[in-house]
Structure formats: C-alpha cells, structure tokens
Amino acid sequence: MGKGGDLGSARRGVARVESGGCGQQQQQQQRQKQVKDESCSCFQMPLHYPRYTKADYETMPEWKLDCLLREYGLPLIGDVNEKRKFAMGAFLWPSW
C-alpha cells in the first residue's frame, strides 16, 4: 500500500497540475480574445445604399444624419450643415 498509495497520490497531483495549467491557458485565451474584441471595430457594412435625395438630406434632422453616418462607419464631426454636406458628398451620385 505504501508504493501504490504514493504513486496514486502522485498521479492525482499531476492531474491537478495539468488541469490547472489548462484552465490558466483557457483564461489567457479568453483574455486575449476579449482584448482583441475590444480593440477591433465592430463595424459591418450595411447591405443597402441609402436612397435619399438631395432634398431629403437638406431637411434631414441631425439625429437622423448621425444615425446614418454612424451606420456606415463615417465620422460625426461638425455641425448639422457640415454633416449634411458630408452625407451628400458620400451618398449622392454626381448629376453631371
């Protein structure tokens, strides 16, 4: 019983160390994934191009412009007139 008991307890100790190491590795992978998720943008290109006219943009409220620009991952810089001008430049086709 002396050797068998020692060997059995040694095996359990090895199992504990291995499982502890595995758990630490999983925790490290989860932390790395979390950092990666936090550092990357969650932007996804919308499926459809906006179908607003120039008149729509000229009368569009600022909150709606903000939503539209944010949806396409574009900057929300400036006052409402600058945002309108930017949105028209980004989404309207030139009428040559």
Side-chain angles (χ1 to χ4, degrees):
M1 188 170 165
K3 287 188 177 182
D6 291 343
L7 184 58
S9 63
R11 286 183 184 157
R12 284 191 295 273
V14 170
R16 266 190 248 121
V17 171
E18 288 175 355
S19 67
C22 185
Q24 290 173 349
Q25 185 179 14
Q26 288 175 343
Q27 288 175 351
Q28 184 180 9
Q29 288 172 347
Q30 288 174 346
R31 275 188 244 121
Q32 288 173 345
K33 183 180 183 303
Q34 183 180 7
V35 169
K36 184 179 177 183
D37 290 345
E38 290 173 359
S39 66
C40 73
S41 170
C42 295
F43 172 74
Q44 290 185 328
M45 187 62 155
L47 295 176
H48 303 288
Y49 200 75
R51 295 184 181 180
Y52 296 110
T53 64
K54 184 176 181 180
D56 293 332
Y57 286 113
E58 291 172 340
T59 59
M60 191 176 286
E62 186 171 12
W63 68 266
K64 196 168 185 178
L65 283 166
D66 289 346
C67 289
L68 180 66
L69 295 172
R70 189 178 299 113
E71 183 179 3
Y72 283 86
L74 299 171
L76 303 174
I77 300 171
D79 64 7
V80 68
N81 291 323
E82 291 171 335
K83 291 175 186 177
R84 283 189 179 121
K85 185 177 177 182
F86 185 82
M88 287 189 278
F91 298 122
L92 291 177
W93 294 96
S95 56
W96 306 352

